[in-house]
Amino acid sequence: MRGWSELAERVAGTTRTSEKTSLLARYLAVLPADELRLAATFLAGRPFAEADQRAIGLGWATIAAVVCHLAEAPAGALGAAYDHSSDLGKAVAEVLSLRECSPDPWLGPTLAEVADAFAAIEVASGPAAKSAVFADLLKQCDPLTAKYVVKILTGELRIGLREGLLEAAIAAAFERPLPEVQWAGMITGDTGETAILAKEGRLHEARLRLLHPLKFMLASPAENAAEIISRLGPTVWVEDKYDGIRAQLHRRGPTVRLYSRDLHDISEQFPEIVEAARDLPWDGILDGEILAFANGHVLPFLTLQARLGRKDPNAAIRAEVPVVYVAFDLLAIGPRSAAATNGTSPAAGIAATAVATAVEPLLRVPLLQRRRRLEELELPSPDGSGRFALSHLVSADSVEDLDRVFGEARARRNEGLMVKDPQSGYSPGRRGQGWLKMKRALATLDCVVVGVEVGRGKRHGVLSDYTFAVRNSDGRLATIGKAYTGLTDAEIAAMTRWFEEHTIRQLGRFRQVEPTVVVEIAFDIIQRSSRHQSGFALRFPRIVRLRTDKSEADADTLETVERLYRDLQFGAEYLVTAAAKRAR
Ligand code: AMP
């Protein structure tokens, strides 16, 4: 692990991508297979493979307690060190270097021992048990090794290593074509496995695995119709941007799983969709959105909120908030079986699994054909007894045409639109150019909560006031505002417990917290202001909802704020111009 950490340090130390790639390639090329798998997984900045459902579940408070105890440092030492760098790994190294005698760097844990410890922390139940395993691991690490153990464990590697670069390094290390490495990475969702396949010349054997979530394709923001047509056109597809929960549906025989955008299994929250999908006569993967839907109408997100995080919902809540699955993409499909399986019979399940031959991945097939094949599935709709629908889709051939579609969408108060290139493939995990999302009429920003305070009045005793931030160009978080309202009492209570466990340090009423919670903030206007680190302030900010599906890395950037600020200026100007025109 020390060798790996030194490599990571060198990669972080150069900004030249060619140098990063060659450092990595030289390192990976000589590793034996078992170490290669772990080294590549860790370089992807994760304790486990991307498609692996496990999460370590170690909070800031536990890490801080273990580190300060080992270094015999005062309780606030880690918080103070964190302030120097805004980097937890670096802060841990700084505090641990206070130890009187540090372990011999070269007698520290191996990659396999670190991986075993990660697995043991994950299975340990409760902070005390997790903390004991973590302390055992950290005890053996010199400060540099500890720095990277913590960075991997918290998923915050931050050594300037994009996934694309790691794939290029794997291709270079084993002299394989880059597109083959990218494809294997895409369909296995496992960088470690991809590295092994590359080493052994078996990239063509990479197989898409049902019941292992693929990363989701994301959309880039777009300004206006002219920009969209020039980027994707002349013919583009426009779909409604649904305000529900993005979910990937996998079906293999009678086994059905729903995965959220952060690749968590959310099947238990939506049993009616799982049950409906069991009756489908094919194996495969759909991409789409779960929506609350009743009497032929989509219900607002606020209604759907009652179902979030609730496992095995009872009949009453299922009747109160019925859900449907709106499919907009087909990512893989197997042959159609003659009859639908009976999900309740294990024998039928085994038969169905045996019949299920390999599914065909459709990721590189143009959207045009994916959509045609999706339509051919004739998913059973809620008009009958089904639970499925397809996204509403229209085609536009020119800027005028697209402007008209936008106008119509606004008129029916649609918050936003997704514009897609019908020739595009599906790029998992990428904010590709194949999909563009039209800015919402009423802008919102996804911000990271960096501080919380006890509320006043009826919110006395709970942490209800949030200070939030966006990311600036050098990756640091810059505060932009503070909001008090928006969440339900139950959400505030749950978040209070979470923030107490993830407090970095306390300054009077104010608690600086681990910056991992993302909230969607609505506001009226953006103003320049010296009150916040970002140089901007939001007027009337309110929390629309917690974005549990987003991580800190998905939060909006200062660049987006600056663009919105400019846009809103233009909006104001447009009004003046229109008024002036009317006056003329
Ligand atoms: P945002 O959450 O603002 O980054 O917008 C991207 C999200 O829009 C996706 O993650 C989906 O949940 C959602 N979405 C809604 N409708 C669609 C659609 N028709 N196609 C793709 N994504 C959609």
Side-chain angles (χ1 to χ4, degrees):
M1 187 65 203
R2 167 74 190 202
W4 187 100
S5 305
E6 287 189 0
L7 165 85
E9 198 75 352
R10 284 201 296 275
V11 171
T14 172
T15 49
R16 301 225 328 264
T17 39
S18 58
E19 205 175 320
K20 285 183 196 272
T21 319
S22 69
L23 276 168
L24 288 163
R26 281 202 304 274
Y27 169 79
L28 295 172
V30 295
L31 287 182
D34 48 349
E35 286 183 30
L36 175 64
R37 182 186 294 277
L38 298 173
T41 305
F42 292 172
L43 282 168
R46 300 160 185 279
F48 309 118
E50 296 96 306
D52 193 319
Q53 293 290 298
R54 289 175 296 167
I56 290 258
L58 206 59
W60 169 281
T62 312
I63 296 176
V66 167
V67 170
C68 293
H69 178 74
L70 282 180
E72 294 179 25
L78 192 63
Y82 181 80
D83 275 351
H84 301 158
S85 56
S86 300
D87 182 315
L88 185 55
K90 280 188 190 161
V92 165
E94 191 181 318
V95 175
L96 287 183
S97 59
L98 300 172
R99 275 180 297 188
E100 277 187 9
C101 58
S102 207
D104 181 331
W106 295 105
L107 295 179
T110 60
L111 287 170
E113 283 163 352
V114 171
D116 288 347
F118 287 163
I121 296 172
E122 192 267 335
V123 292
S125 81
K130 285 184 188 291
S131 145
V133 187
F134 177 57
D136 263 354
L137 171 64
L138 224 54
K139 223 182 278 170
Q140 307 164 50
C141 299
D142 66 284
L144 180 73
T145 309
K147 168 177 169 178
Y148 283 101
V149 162
V150 169
K151 276 171 169 273
I152 296 166
L153 185 136
T154 53
E156 287 274 332
L157 193 53
R158 286 164 70 178
I159 55 168
L161 185 59
R162 284 177 295 104
E163 190 180 33
L165 245 165
L166 185 52
E167 284 169 345
I170 293 172
F174 306 109
E175 297 175 8
R176 309 288 173 209
L178 180 57
E180 284 182 25
V181 174
Q182 288 169 329
W183 172 247
M186 209 185 260
I187 64 168
T188 59
D190 186 335
T191 314
E193 172 74 11
T194 303
I196 302 279
L197 293 174
K199 180 181 173 72
E200 296 173 355
R202 298 190 293 116
L203 284 166
H204 58 279
E205 290 178 22
R207 291 282 174 271
L208 186 143
R209 285 173 295 173
L210 291 176
L211 314 181
H212 290 261
L214 291 167
K215 282 193 252 173
F216 288 70
M217 178 159 172
L218 302 169
S220 307
E223 292 286 317
N224 53 42
E227 184 201 335
I228 292 172
I229 292 289
S230 76
R231 276 163 75 176
L232 305 185
T235 301
V236 294
W237 279 4
V238 190
E239 289 179 18
D240 281 10
K241 186 174 185 300
Y242 300 100
D243 201 11
I245 298 163
R246 180 87 177 264
Q248 203 175 92
L249 187 152
H250 287 230
R251 178 181 190 277
R252 191 181 67 197
T255 309
V256 175
R257 292 269 182 280
L258 287 166
Y259 299 103
S260 63
R261 203 175 123 153
D262 49 4
L263 311 188
H264 287 121
D265 189 336
I266 52 166
S267 316
E268 289 178 354
Q269 291 177 45
F270 303 103
E272 54 274 66
I273 294 177
V274 170
E275 279 155 27
R278 277 204 191 108
D279 292 335
L280 299 171
W282 43 262
D283 288 349
I285 306 175
L286 297 174
D287 189 7
E289 193 94 357
I290 295 171
L291 296 175
F293 182 91
N295 308 322
H297 293 289
V298 173
L299 307 176
F301 184 80
L302 214 61
T303 313
L304 184 62
Q305 224 160 4
R307 297 281 306 255
L308 297 191
R310 199 189 276 253
K311 286 186 184 169
D312 300 322
N314 60 29
I317 181 92
R318 285 168 61 163
E320 202 178 309
V321 188
V323 289
V324 292
Y325 186 88
V326 178
F328 46 71
D329 221 316
L330 178 65
L331 311 187
I333 188 75
R336 193 176 266 263
S337 57
T341 54
N342 173 1
T344 52
S345 142
I350 292 161
T353 316
V355 168
T357 46
V359 289
E360 176 192 354
L362 300 177
L363 306 175
R364 286 193 286 203
V365 169
L367 175 61
L368 191 78
Q369 290 172 35
R370 300 203 304 275
R371 175 78 188 201
R372 185 175 49 74
R373 295 183 66 174
L374 174 64
E375 286 172 7
E376 282 167 7
L377 294 177
E378 295 183 351
L379 295 168
S381 81
D383 314 340
S385 56
R387 290 265 173 196
F388 295 92
L390 293 185
S391 56
H392 177 260
L393 170 71
V394 291
S395 172
D397 293 322
S398 64
V399 174
E400 297 72 42
D401 220 9
L402 190 53
D403 265 332
R404 183 184 46 77
V405 175
F406 283 156
E408 286 167 5
R410 283 236 170 91
R412 59 190 157 93
R413 291 172 166 259
N414 190 325
E415 272 195 318
L417 289 169
M418 299 291 291
V419 188
K420 301 182 178 178
D421 175 0
Q423 300 305 332
S424 62
Y426 188 97
S427 330
R430 309 252 151 93
R431 217 171 262 291
Q433 293 305 314
W435 292 6
L436 298 177
K437 62 181 174 197
M438 245 294 281
K439 198 187 73 200
R440 294 171 179 197
L442 209 173
T444 62
L445 285 170
D446 290 328
C447 302
V448 183
V449 179
V450 292
V452 292
E453 271 172 71
V454 181
R456 295 175 198 274
K458 94 175 170 77
R459 295 271 157 86
H460 176 76
V462 285
L463 297 166
S464 62
D465 301 0
Y466 296 179
T467 300
F468 46 81
V470 290
R471 195 168 276 296
N472 69 19
S473 54
D474 62 28
R476 288 181 179 240
L477 289 168
T479 54
I480 189 164
K482 193 169 162 182
Y484 312 88
T485 54
L487 300 183
T488 62
D489 289 348
E491 282 175 319
I492 292 173
M495 291 313 296
T496 295
R497 286 193 294 280
W498 193 92
F499 284 129
E500 280 168 355
E501 155 72 357
H502 295 79
T503 294
I504 296 173
R505 60 186 183 146
Q506 188 144 7
L507 303 157
R509 292 172 63 83
F510 182 84
R511 284 167 181 261
Q512 183 187 357
V513 294
E514 197 177 314
T516 44
V517 173
V518 177
V519 282
E520 188 175 345
I521 304 286
F523 53 89
D524 285 1
I525 50 172
I526 300 178
Q527 297 164 307
R528 289 237 180 246
S529 159
S530 55
R531 212 170 59 228
H532 300 292
Q533 294 154 346
S534 60
F536 289 100
L538 306 176
R539 208 166 74 143
F540 301 130
R542 48 218 179 258
I543 303 169
V544 181
R545 60 172 140 148
L546 286 165
R547 293 297 306 245
T548 46
D549 59 328
K550 289 202 172 184
S551 72
E552 175 240 24
D554 293 320
D556 277 311
T557 59
L558 190 53
E559 206 185 317
T560 306
V561 175
E562 278 161 358
R563 211 190 47 235
L564 274 175
Y565 174 73
R566 280 197 310 272
D567 279 353
L568 297 173
Q569 300 295 307
F570 287 138
E573 202 173 293
Y574 174 69
L575 285 178
V576 172
T577 319
K581 271 190 188 148
R582 271 203 300 277
R584 252 185 270 136

